[in-house]
Amino acid sequence: MFDLSPEEWTAIHLSLRIAVVATACSLPFGIAVAWLLARKNFWGKGLLDGVIHLPLVLPPVVTGYLLLIAFGRKGFIGSWLAEIGIVFAFRWTGAALACAVMSFPLLVRPLRLSFESIDRKLEDAAWTLGASPLKVFLTVSLPLAVPGLIAGTLLGFAKALGEFGATITFVSNIPGETQTISAAIYTLTQIPDGDAAAGRLVLVSIVIALIALVASEWLSRRAGQRFHGE
Amino acid sequence: MLTVAVKRALPNFALDATFSGAGTIALFGPSGSGKTTVANLIAGLVKPDSGRIAIDSDVLFDSAQRIDVPAHKRRIGYVFQEGRLFPHMSVARNLDYGRRMNGLARDDNDHARIVAMLDLGNLLTRRPGKLSGGERQRVAIGRALLSKPRLLVLDEPLASLDAARKAEILPYLERLRAEKLPMIYVSHQPDEVRRVADHVVRLDGGRVAAAGGVELLS
């Protein structure tokens, strides 16, 4: 049963690469946005909050189509990016972009809650001890938001790993380039005799999800011990 | 010599306080009289609507000259009512925080002296979560001192402690006087103030009701 074909390995490898890249690239933005939403009042805050959460409530196909319009070869951003050599359309990088957009609200939310729950008095204390606002953020706010960082990263990663609708709409289902585990399973269910292979990939998905869950649980516990432990 | 002349509108009243002095100045008065706000204004955590704050000839805030030194550059140590230790750092890292943030060189003699003065030696490897209220407050005092401030603000440092813990900390506060470091001591307890302060500024309803020596308290 676990004799995976080269095509299946390719899909697994691609899925992991896309999810890791999508999560890693959106993390800095996610931290910045979560912090802004938790701490700052500015014009258009409600709008920013809404736009970020749109992928959560829109049909994924719609998000994928909007990405196609914007980042396709003829898209208003895509055509401009193509001139400097960055292409998303029908590439694995496009799949990563779609996953990043779709997982962004899930990444931001726990982080924002973590930032909101930090005792701001601790930040004031750091400030009086000579830490500039940036240093306060790096030495106090961000370390104290680590539980939210872990939860957000896991949720974002899981969403990126399983993303299907937006990805297939934006970059299609090209084996070896944009065919992730989900897309491969979808293809396998469309052909006769695909059941065994689909079953193998389903098992792989479950294993990857479990590993990610256990890892984040372990990291959270370690972070918790750092705050309250010996 | 600390000079303070500040105005600030607050939800319930207008703060309008002017005083100056050297040594340890106690800000004394009932709760809600504006003591903590004055302390926060001096430390730079709250901005006055107008006025001037200076230590000797060094201006920290002056609305007329548009000077407003940010809190992290004021070099004012602040001991808060609740300690406010960083829960993700050991006691040793908490104590070292101000030195690291200010980019100061290690001063092992000073460190050893303050650790000894506050009896922190056996707490260094612990986490703030595992300290008693009194221990936490001693660490908070040490942390503020080790950032090498030119003025130390203590905002009701004993208020969250029970009577036994208060008795435990008071001797340490008295030792602070030997540091020759100017201090602002915020409190509404006459007996505490009598033991630590040189001057008393009595606040009431956001205004200076009286200023003078500790005899004001009787």
Side-chain angles (χ1 to χ4, degrees):
Chain A
M1 174 104 191
F2 263 96
D3 269 339
L4 294 164
S5 70
E7 291 77 27
E8 288 157 31
W9 275 116
T10 305
I12 293 165
H13 180 241
L14 203 53
S15 274
L16 287 172
R17 179 162 58 165
I18 288 168
V20 167
V21 168
T23 313
C25 291
S26 51
L27 203 53
F29 297 102
I31 292 170
V33 167
W35 189 82
L36 277 177
L37 290 175
R39 284 303 155 79
K40 297 288 169 187
N41 279 311
F42 51 91
W43 188 88
K45 180 175 173 176
L47 187 69
L48 176 67
D49 200 16
V51 168
I52 286 163
H53 281 90
L54 263 186
L56 210 56
V57 286
L58 275 180
V61 177
V62 173
T63 305
Y65 185 65
L66 290 172
L67 284 171
L68 191 60
I69 291 171
F71 289 95
R73 275 182 193 283
K74 297 202 168 72
F76 60 96
I77 304 174
S79 58
W80 178 74
L81 283 174
E83 281 177 30
I84 53 171
I86 301 172
V87 177
F88 286 112
F90 306 110
R91 298 277 173 84
W92 73 270
T93 48
L97 176 67
C99 290
V101 169
M102 291 300 288
S103 62
F104 201 64
L106 294 166
L107 181 113
V108 166
R109 202 166 180 79
L111 254 172
R112 177 185 180 173
L113 290 175
S114 253
F115 280 132
E116 279 172 348
S117 70
I118 293 174
D119 188 352
R120 312 234 352 217
K121 293 171 171 177
L122 292 174
E123 296 171 346
D124 276 351
W127 201 24
T128 65
L129 287 163
S132 64
L134 178 66
K135 282 184 180 168
V136 172
F137 177 77
L138 292 175
T139 59
V140 176
S141 319
L142 193 57
L144 289 176
V146 160
L149 191 70
I150 294 168
T153 305
L154 172 77
L155 278 173
F157 179 76
K159 175 72 191 173
L161 203 59
E163 217 297 311
F164 177 72
T167 309
I168 207 165
T169 312
F170 179 31
V171 292
S172 185
N173 185 354
I174 306 162
E177 187 66 43
T178 64
Q179 189 176 74
T180 59
I181 297 177
S182 308
I185 292 172
Y186 171 73
T187 304
L188 287 166
T189 59
Q190 303 297 304
I191 56 170
D193 315 324
D195 288 350
R200 284 197 293 274
L201 287 177
V202 165
L203 269 179
V204 169
S205 298
I206 294 172
V207 169
I208 294 174
L210 277 177
I211 291 173
L213 260 179
V214 169
S216 91
E217 190 66 22
W218 180 77
L219 282 170
S220 304
R221 194 165 308 151
R222 281 204 46 177
Q225 272 170 2
R226 278 180 62 212
F227 294 163
H228 311 293
E230 0 287 285
Chain B
M1 175 79 141
L2 173 72
T3 324
V4 177
V6 286
K7 288 186 186 183
R8 160 114 187 153
L10 293 167
N12 301 322
F13 62 95
L15 180 80
D16 183 353
T18 301
F19 61 90
S20 61
T24 301
I25 305 170
L27 294 177
F28 177 77
S31 51
S33 58
K35 306 185 295 290
T36 297
T37 307
V38 172
N40 287 339
L41 290 169
I42 294 170
L45 296 176
V46 176
K47 195 177 166 179
D49 296 332
S50 66
R52 187 171 188 276
I53 301 167
I55 298 176
D56 300 322
S57 60
D58 207 349
V59 180
L60 301 179
F61 181 88
D62 191 330
S63 51
Q65 292 183 62
R66 293 176 171 273
I67 295 173
D68 183 11
V69 179
H72 65 281
K73 291 185 179 155
R74 289 198 181 189
R75 290 180 45 226
I76 294 179
Y78 202 137
V79 177
F80 300 89
Q81 214 180 97
E82 340 77 39
R84 302 194 190 178
L85 301 182
F86 305 125
H88 56 302
M89 298 179 197
S90 66
V91 167
R93 302 257 311 160
N94 266 282
L95 290 173
D96 202 34
Y97 187 84
R99 183 195 66 76
R100 282 187 288 131
M101 291 303 121
N102 288 298
L104 303 173
R106 267 179 207 289
D107 184 344
D108 290 336
N109 290 333
D110 198 42
H111 189 273
R113 189 177 57 79
I114 287 168
V115 165
M117 177 180 79
L118 296 165
D119 288 332
L120 301 175
N122 56 350
L123 305 179
L124 293 176
T125 57
R126 292 216 238 154
R127 292 272 173 188
K130 300 275 172 179
L131 300 179
S132 72
E135 288 169 337
R136 236 173 264 165
Q137 216 48 315
R138 268 153 54 203
V139 175
I141 294 168
R143 184 179 67 170
L145 285 177
L146 283 166
S147 69
K148 304 219 180 217
R150 52 184 167 180
L151 171 75
L152 185 65
V153 175
L154 300 109
D155 181 16
E156 310 226 23
L158 306 181
S160 58
L161 305 178
D162 60 40
R165 295 283 91 73
K166 276 183 191 165
E168 171 198 323
I169 299 291
L170 260 172
Y172 293 106
L173 293 178
E174 286 175 321
R175 289 189 202 177
L176 276 183
R177 297 179 76 170
E179 292 281 304
K180 303 283 179 218
L181 178 68
M183 289 196 277
I184 295 283
Y185 191 92
V186 175
S187 176
H188 61 268
Q189 297 289 345
D191 47 329
E192 273 176 37
V193 170
R194 223 173 262 125
R195 286 176 70 171
V196 298
D198 305 315
H199 307 282
V200 176
V201 173
R202 191 152 61 81
L203 288 169
D204 204 352
R207 287 170 183 276
V208 176
V214 285
E215 69 279 357
L216 267 182
L217 298 166
S218 43

